[in-house]
Amino acid sequence: MTKNPSVATEANVSETRLYRVVADRIQALIKEEKIEAGSRLPSERDLAANLNVSRASVREALIALELTGIIEVRGGSGIYVSEKGEAASGMHEVGSGPFEVLSARRLIESEVAAMAARMATDSAIDAILKAMQDMERFYDDIAANHRADRAFHVAIARATGNTALVEVLENLWNQRGRLWSKMEEHFQTEELRQATLTDHRRILEAIVARDPAAARKAMRAHLERVTREFSRGWGVKDGLARLPAKPDDKAGQ
């Protein structure tokens, strides 16, 4: 696969959602290289080198293309041109890329957690605790668990007493759309879900202790870990699913 010098790089693309540009370039490569339906695409690493963008941007683009039926991801095998031959449609509907959302959350929510540790009233802490308990109670109900997860993070924003921050947090969570859901489908594991509960307990403990530095660190560590998990190789979910959970890890975003 020859490197295309005309492709836009992350440094000079003004498009906010870079993965759309990358998705277009991957489709162009499929045509230019005459990669037939059912054939495997170059690796994520090779695509990133060819397009001169990060692997995270390539991953988001591939998942967007999967949503539109252009490619098919086969866990543990690779990424293939779809044999269905469906045309790309609705790319504008998939929203911001998960890595963009996570990057924004790391920046904003870490400081929100620190502020909550300073400002939270007893009733605000009770609301965070209730959301935490709901995450544990609905652990096996994915939809209810996700609602409790969102309630936990929004409750922390409310604990700051700043309504603008609450609106920012809600907007960030509203961007967890189809692209995020597909990313979770590929990379969410039992290990990740258990670690998420542990992360949330640490965040809550730091806020209860009125320790802004610890709250900031715990929130950032949580979001960095989710980013790392979403950045791991294709097929990792199948491999991890076969591993036994650690005895002390009974605690998971």
Side-chain angles (χ1 to χ4, degrees), residues 115-122 124-125 128 159-160 207 210:
M115 188 173 175
R118 290 192 300 269
M119 307 293 294
T121 62
D122 289 345
I125 289 175
I128 302 170
T160 67
I207 292 172
R210 311 289 183 179

Side-chain angles (χ1 to χ4, degrees), residues 97-112:
F99 291 107
E100 280 187 334
V101 173
L102 282 166
S103 178
R105 288 183 61 194
R106 281 198 308 275
L107 180 68
I108 295 166
E109 289 198 62
S110 299
E111 292 307 316
V112 166

Side-chain angles (χ1 to χ4, degrees), residues 53-212:
V53 294
S54 70
R55 289 182 68 176
S57 295
V58 169
R59 175 158 297 184
E60 290 173 338
L62 289 171
I63 290 177
L65 289 172
E66 184 183 19
L67 283 169
T68 59
I70 297 299
I71 67 163
E72 178 186 355
V73 176
R74 302 176 190 171
S77 174
I79 304 153
Y80 295 79
V81 177
S82 175
E83 298 189 69
K84 298 175 184 176
E86 296 178 14
S89 62
M91 184 75 76
H92 63 284
E93 297 174 359
V94 296
S96 298
F99 291 107
E100 280 187 334
V101 173
L102 282 166
S103 178
R105 288 183 61 194
R106 281 198 308 275
L107 180 68
I108 295 166
E109 289 198 62
S110 299
E111 292 307 316
V112 166
M115 188 173 175
R118 290 192 300 269
M119 307 293 294
T121 62
D122 289 345
S123 61
I125 289 175
D126 286 343
I128 302 170
L129 175 60
K130 181 184 182 304
M132 176 79 248
Q133 291 170 335
D134 285 345
M135 284 187 70
E136 295 171 332
R137 183 157 57 102
F138 297 119
Y139 183 80
D140 294 321
D141 181 338
I142 301 297
N145 182 270
H146 282 182
R147 287 194 295 272
D149 189 355
R150 176 185 176 125
F152 178 88
H153 288 268
V154 173
I156 291 173
R158 289 201 177 103
T160 67
N162 186 318
T163 55
L165 287 175
V166 176
E167 290 174 4
V168 168
L169 257 291
E170 288 179 332
N171 180 57
L172 283 170
W173 275 76
N174 288 341
Q175 293 183 57
R176 288 173 42 138
R178 294 170 62 212
L179 207 60
W180 180 282
S181 296
K182 182 58 75 171
M183 184 79 80
E184 279 194 327
E185 182 183 314
H186 282 300
F187 303 109
Q188 182 76 283
T189 63
E190 181 66 14
E191 181 183 74
L192 176 56
R193 294 185 66 229
Q194 289 175 357
T196 290
L197 283 180
T198 299
D199 288 352
H200 283 63
R201 288 192 186 108
R202 287 175 182 151
I203 295 165
L204 174 60
E205 287 166 4
I207 292 172
V208 169
R210 311 289 183 179
D211 188 336

